Amino acid sequence: MSLKSFEIVYKEFNSKLESREFEKALYLVPDLLENATCNIDIFYSLMGKATALTNIDKNDEVIETYKEIIHQFKNENDEIISKYLIYAYFNKALAYAKQKDFDKELKTYNKLLEKYISDISKDTEIILVKSYMNRAICVSELQEPLKALDVYKELIHNFEHSENENIQIQIAQAAYNVALIYAQSENNEKAIESYAYVIKHFENSQREEILEYVAKALINKASRIKMEDNYEEALKLYDKVITRFSSYGGELLNQVALAMHNKSILLSELNKEEELFELCDAIIDKFANSNNEMILNVVASAGVIKDKERFSNNSF
């Protein structure tokens, strides 16, 4: 068959994929493979087959197809095949994840990282980073969260200087997860140190997705410092969230409400009533018209405190 014959069938195959006629697309795969004139034709055909199978939820066949692709092309020198083969590893791992087969998912990520981590490029870095993140989740599921620390730390070490903002979002999340794991294991010193890393490295970001981790790190660091009786420093950290992020919306505004709530609790514990009542007024003024359930709970809490104040002032 001529190259033109493959191109004609491949064009029809892609048309079926685009129109979401996946069963009809799969019907064309034997013709694609028969008309293939080189390895790259076979590679594209099998990757397309895996895509169609994924869309009709044939997960076992998806895995088998990616196994076939990897077996056939893992030592291929063709530049295009080498560039896109990483997706076969990654998608195979995702197929195992869909089955909750974390052991095989983890082994697939391990093979992917072993093969590609020494040759990081702009084409591969996002897949490598996502593989690290998913690998950490697998380790947490199969072993324990503390075992995932090494995965997160290796990820941060390899990619913390990436100029890709989407990579930086993943790094911020990984660094924040490190702090959470230390906090959950009651390692207060390491938790505070790790939250400080998130704050220091990402506080000047312009991306709200990253700033959310900064705000959360400030609040969580304040809570950890409070546990060590460093109340004034905790208050400063809450104030930093309130001052820095009050003009934002979405999740950042939720963090402002949480910081104000946590500050009110601390002021109450310290018997700083005047500051407490001023803060409650500020909470009610800022958030009374919110539709967010969490924020409305914060407002309600502030209202209870104000009601107690009025009751105290009017009591005999």
Side-chain angles (χ1 to χ4, degrees):
M1 292 288 183
S2 68
L3 178 60
K4 183 178 180 181
S5 297
F6 176 82
E7 290 177 345
I8 291 171
V9 179
Y10 191 64
K11 183 178 180 180
E12 183 181 357
F13 175 80
N14 278 329
S15 176
K16 298 299 182 187
L17 289 182
E18 289 171 6
S19 61
R20 304 190 64 79
E21 298 177 270
F22 300 116
E23 295 281 3
K24 292 180 179 180
L26 287 169
Y27 183 78
L28 293 171
V29 170
D31 287 343
L32 282 173
L33 295 173
E34 182 180 347
N35 293 336
T37 60
C38 58
N39 279 347
I40 197 165
D41 289 350
I42 298 171
F43 179 77
Y44 280 146
S45 300
L46 292 174
M47 290 292 282
K49 176 185 177 182
T51 298
L53 288 167
T54 300
N55 278 280
I56 57 174
D57 205 25
K58 298 284 188 179
N59 210 52
D60 289 337
E61 293 179 52
V62 170
I63 291 170
E64 290 306 313
T65 303
Y66 282 127
K67 282 182 179 180
E68 181 181 356
I69 293 168
I70 292 167
H71 176 75
Q72 187 164 346
F73 297 105
K74 61 184 177 182
N75 298 316
E76 178 62 53
N77 294 320
D78 181 272
E79 185 177 344
I80 295 176
I81 293 176
S82 297
K83 178 180 177 181
Y84 290 108
L85 185 62
I86 190 172
Y87 292 95
Y89 283 93
F90 186 74
N91 292 339
K92 178 186 171 190
L94 293 182
Y96 282 131
K98 188 179 289 187
Q99 296 178 338
K100 298 189 182 303
D101 191 338
F102 299 116
D103 184 57
K104 289 182 180 177
E105 182 188 1
L106 177 59
K107 288 177 180 177
T108 306
Y109 289 130
N110 288 343
K111 289 179 181 178
L112 184 159
L113 290 166
E114 181 182 349
K115 181 175 178 64
Y116 290 98
I117 196 60
S118 62
D119 188 24
I120 300 171
S121 68
K122 290 183 178 180
D123 293 322
T124 62
E125 62 177 354
I126 189 65
I127 296 297
L128 292 169
V129 167
K130 288 182 177 180
S131 295
Y132 269 115
M133 293 294 285
N134 292 348
R135 180 188 188 187
I137 293 170
C138 289
V139 170
S140 294
E141 290 285 348
L142 290 169
Q143 300 171 37
E144 60 178 52
L146 278 172
K147 297 290 186 181
L149 284 172
D150 288 341
V151 182
Y152 285 127
K153 289 179 180 180
E154 186 178 330
L155 164 59
I156 294 164
H157 174 76
N158 286 336
F159 292 96
E160 65 181 338
H161 299 300
S162 171
E163 296 179 359
N164 185 324
E165 286 191 343
N166 292 322
I167 297 293
Q168 287 302 310
I169 293 171
Q170 300 290 320
I171 299 303
Q173 182 180 356
Y176 181 75
N177 287 352
V178 168
L180 281 183
I181 291 170
Y182 280 129
Q184 290 164 359
S185 63
E186 299 301 327
N187 190 332
N188 220 37
E189 181 181 353
K190 284 289 188 181
I192 291 170
E193 177 185 311
S194 301
Y195 286 127
Y197 174 91
V198 177
I199 296 162
K200 178 181 178 181
H201 281 75
F202 299 104
E203 63 182 347
N204 295 321
S205 174
Q206 301 301 310
R207 292 288 294 267
E208 288 192 22
E209 301 97 315
I210 293 176
L211 292 176
E212 286 174 19
Y213 291 112
V214 175
K216 290 177 180 178
L218 285 163
I219 292 171
N220 288 352
K221 183 183 177 186
S223 297
R224 290 283 147 182
I225 286 175
K226 176 187 170 185
M227 292 170 65
E228 299 188 345
D229 299 331
N230 194 344
Y231 303 125
E232 292 305 318
E233 181 62 24
L235 288 172
K236 288 179 182 177
L237 291 171
Y238 290 136
D239 283 338
K240 191 169 184 178
V241 175
I242 296 164
T243 302
R244 173 79 189 278
F245 301 115
S246 280
S247 62
Y248 287 84
E251 180 58 32
L252 280 170
L253 192 60
N254 292 348
Q255 296 306 310
V256 171
L258 182 59
M260 295 176 84
H261 176 68
N262 288 1
K263 182 182 177 182
S264 73
I265 293 173
L266 182 51
L267 288 173
S268 178
E269 292 173 358
L270 296 173
N271 295 315
K272 294 188 175 186
E273 290 192 352
E274 185 176 347
E275 291 181 54
L276 172 60
F277 296 142
E278 287 179 1
L279 178 59
C280 288
D281 284 335
I283 291 171
I284 294 168
D285 288 344
K286 186 172 182 63
F287 297 113
N289 296 320
S290 174
N291 294 318
N292 182 283
E293 184 177 354
M294 187 276 287
I295 292 178
L296 288 176
N297 288 334
V298 172
V299 173
S301 178
V304 169
I305 292 172
K306 292 297 292 180
D307 287 340
K308 286 181 179 178
E309 177 199 13
R310 284 191 291 271
F311 177 80
S312 297
N313 290 338
N314 291 303
S315 62
F316 295 101

